Amino acid sequence: MTKIVLVGAGSLQFGTGMLGDIFQSNSLTGAEIILHDINEDAALRTLDVAKRFVDAHDLSFTLSATTDLKSALQGATFVVISIEVGDRFALWDLDWKVPQQYGFTQVYGENGGPGGLFHSLRIIPPILDICQQVVDICPDATVFNYSNPMSRICTTVHRAFPELKFVGMCHEIASLERHLAPLLGVERSEIMYRAGGLNHFSVMTEVSYTKDGSDAYPDVREKAEAYFGNMPGYSEILQMTRKTGQTIETEGWMDIDMSAIDTVRPWSDRWLFALVLEKFGALPITYDSHFGEYIQWAHDCSDHRGILDFYTYYRNFLGTTEPVIEPVLKERVVPIMEALLGAGEYEEAAVNIPNKGFIANLPEWICVEVPATINEKGIHGIAVDVPVGVRGLLTNQIGVHDMTAEAILNKSRDLVVQALLVDPVVTKSKGVSELVDHMIAEQSPWLDYLAGG
């Protein structure tokens, strides 16, 4: 019997979303699902929602909740991790604002730059603890990670546990896929595309028309301004929500209804996006808030209003919306589970795995986001031809990821300082040590392991 352990299932958004995906799968019918969380009340709350849904729809799943990860992992086939530590948004605010107070500009504070480093320093140690238990209890299980900062988490985990089947999953690829068909004026089935890079720092590498195999990238470049230049962004979404009191589900798999929005700022959320497309000839798969975290010159050409409005909307939406289970596929992990169980081979658009030559100029140990062939023999990455200029941007992250992993695995405050000093987003040295000491003190107990040096 297939056994799926959801770690962090006390989060209703993650728990209900993942359960909805599982419940719509015929291949996973009859699976045992364990909801694990360190917060027992939160885990039981998700369990109650899940049981009521299963009973109402007469589904064949076995459900339970526990705070005991060791017992949950016994015999696990799949483990899905989506955790945060502490007060997510309060700590995120520190990641973003405190470095700026010390003079380090950053467009966001989640995955790249100083904010991404401190986020990594907090969240990777508990994920390493989870992975150690998987290695000890169910070493054959496939582990899927949804937590951020994705590429730093995956890189560090694979350095610590090279034999672990650990895969990073992110729905951001849908930010590309949902737009290609309307941009090109065809059905989704009429397009084949691939993308590659680092998580949240990836570009479309190829796109073609399936009817004749012809290259569609010239059409994308030609039509991008008319399409993306007039596309509503989070400023428009936030303004509409404040005006009407209605929210828009922006985390869905594909279709997002923004028909109620009638006024749009040019290239909303996509000023940096537009510049990368113009100068590098490559279409980013995501917005300025994500892509700009990795680039030292992004601060002067990003849509900061859009970024701030995105953060406000995201925070408010999560805080006010009551998640419900919908048996509709929204994430990408369930089709991978099905293929690994023998349901048939298919090409997955984006997985985060060690490079192994999939992207030129990057070392094998860094985790990249690339397409992959999935079948019962495993997950097999596909090489992509990232444009040479974008490869240059990606290589700037090699030292950052290397030093992040080393700082965490060696529990070294001095290596944290070095991790900042090799980051291209950090353009000055004065204040680096003071910033590190400030954050270690401010983010206790999660960074206490670094206090010894």
Side-chain angles (χ1 to χ4, degrees):
M1 181 176 65
T2 301
K3 182 176 181 179
I4 304 169
V5 182
L6 305 183
V7 181
S11 163
L12 268 181
Q13 185 186 42
F14 165 62
T16 57
M18 192 57 59
L19 288 166
D21 281 15
I22 294 170
F23 291 160
Q24 62 79 47
S25 169
N26 292 327
S27 297
L28 296 178
T29 295
E32 178 184 3
I33 303 170
I34 311 293
L35 309 178
H36 172 269
D37 203 282
I38 59 174
N39 183 329
E40 183 176 19
D41 290 340
L44 291 173
R45 178 187 58 185
T46 304
L47 178 63
D48 179 63
V49 173
K51 282 188 171 180
R52 283 190 278 112
F53 186 90
V54 166
D55 291 343
H57 294 81
D58 195 26
L59 300 178
S60 178
F61 291 94
T62 303
L63 296 164
S64 63
T66 182
T67 59
D68 184 351
L69 184 58
K70 289 184 178 180
S71 66
L73 292 175
Q74 297 292 333
T77 314
F78 302 114
V79 180
V80 185
I81 300 172
S82 182
I83 67 167
E84 280 290 350
V85 298
D87 185 325
R88 177 184 183 184
F89 286 106
L91 291 167
W92 192 343
D93 285 342
L94 292 175
D95 292 340
W96 194 351
K97 296 174 183 176
V98 174
Q100 292 186 112
Q101 192 67 27
Y102 280 85
F104 303 102
T105 56
Q106 55 180 354
V107 301
Y108 208 38
E110 185 185 18
N111 297 299
L117 175 61
F118 293 114
H119 191 184
S120 300
L121 295 172
R122 276 196 319 276
I123 198 167
I124 293 178
I127 289 178
L128 290 173
D129 290 342
I130 294 167
C131 290
Q132 181 65 69
Q133 294 186 65
V134 171
V135 169
D136 293 341
I137 298 168
C138 52
D140 293 330
T142 301
V143 183
F144 299 98
N145 173 68
Y146 274 96
S147 294
N148 282 321
M150 179 65 70
S151 58
R152 298 202 211 199
I153 289 172
C154 294
T155 295
T156 307
V157 167
H158 280 285
R159 184 167 296 186
F161 305 103
E163 301 305 316
L164 182 64
K165 291 183 285 189
F166 188 92
V167 186
M169 298 300 303
C170 178
H171 58 228
E172 199 63 34
I173 190 69
S175 296
L176 167 65
E177 190 168 338
R178 69 166 59 99
H179 293 301
L180 285 178
L183 168 68
L184 294 170
V186 298
E187 297 296 322
R188 290 175 188 152
S189 61
E190 298 179 72
I191 301 171
M192 191 285 283
Y193 77 94
R194 284 177 175 164
L198 298 176
N199 180 245
H200 289 183
F201 194 32
S202 179
V203 299
M204 185 170 69
T205 58
E206 60 180 293
V207 59
S208 60
Y209 297 110
T210 57
K211 63 181 180 181
D212 58 9
S214 61
D215 185 9
Y217 225 137
D219 291 342
V220 169
R221 296 185 183 101
E222 179 184 346
K223 297 179 179 182
E225 182 170 4
Y227 182 81
F228 290 112
N230 295 287
M231 175 69 59
Y234 278 92
S235 294
E236 290 75 27
I237 293 172
L238 179 63
Q239 184 179 23
M240 188 211 71
T241 298
R242 286 172 169 168
K243 182 178 180 180
T244 66
Q246 297 178 340
T247 58
I248 295 176
E249 170 58 79
T250 62
E251 297 295 309
W253 162 228
M254 277 294 172
D255 298 310
I256 298 175
D257 182 7
M258 294 189 287
S259 59
I261 297 173
D262 55 12
T263 302
V264 179
R265 295 177 306 122
W267 287 99
S268 186
D269 291 343
R270 289 185 170 89
W271 297 2
L272 169 65
F273 175 107
L275 185 64
V276 170
L277 179 60
E278 176 191 354
K279 301 300 184 185
F280 292 86
L283 189 77
I285 74 162
T286 188
Y287 310 100
D288 291 4
S289 57
H290 291 333
F291 208 84
E293 289 198 89
Y294 302 91
I295 302 175
Q296 61 268 39
W297 41 264
H299 195 269
D300 69 355
C301 60
S302 295
D303 180 8
H304 292 286
R305 177 181 171 183
I307 292 168
L308 289 167
D309 287 344
F310 167 68
Y311 180 74
T312 299
Y313 183 82
Y314 185 55
R315 183 173 187 162
N316 291 350
F317 180 78
L318 288 181
T320 60
T321 302
E322 189 70 19
V324 295
I325 295 175
E326 298 176 292
V328 177
L329 185 66
K330 292 186 177 181
E331 295 291 353
R332 313 184 73 90
V333 70
V334 166
I336 295 179
M337 292 179 180
E338 293 172 335
L340 291 174
L341 292 171
E345 182 173 285
Y346 84 105
E347 182 174 316
E348 169 56 44
V351 295
N352 289 267
I353 54 178
N355 187 28
K356 307 296 184 184
F358 305 130
I359 297 179
N361 292 17
L362 295 180
E364 288 195 350
W365 52 261
I366 197 169
C367 280
V368 293
E369 187 166 89
V370 292
T373 300
I374 318 292
N375 56 37
E376 58 186 332
K377 294 182 180 180
I379 298 171
H380 316 281
I382 297 171
V384 290
D385 186 14
V386 176
V388 62
V390 177
R391 292 206 308 266
L393 294 175
L394 294 173
T395 59
N396 290 337
Q397 291 296 313
I398 295 172
V400 180
H401 284 66
D402 188 24
M403 294 307 302
T404 299
E406 289 302 300
I408 292 167
L409 295 175
N410 289 283
K411 302 180 180 181
S412 170
R413 175 259 185 202
D414 292 342
L415 292 181
V416 173
V417 172
Q418 292 179 35
L420 285 172
L421 290 172
V422 302
D423 193 326
V425 174
V426 176
T427 57
K428 66 189 212 53
S429 62
K430 185 178 180 180
V432 168
S433 294
E434 291 81 358
L435 169 62
V436 171
D437 291 336
H438 182 123
M439 292 295 276
I440 289 173
E442 190 75 29
Q443 297 198 354
S444 178
W446 300 284
L447 301 188
D448 287 354
Y449 71 99
L450 299 167

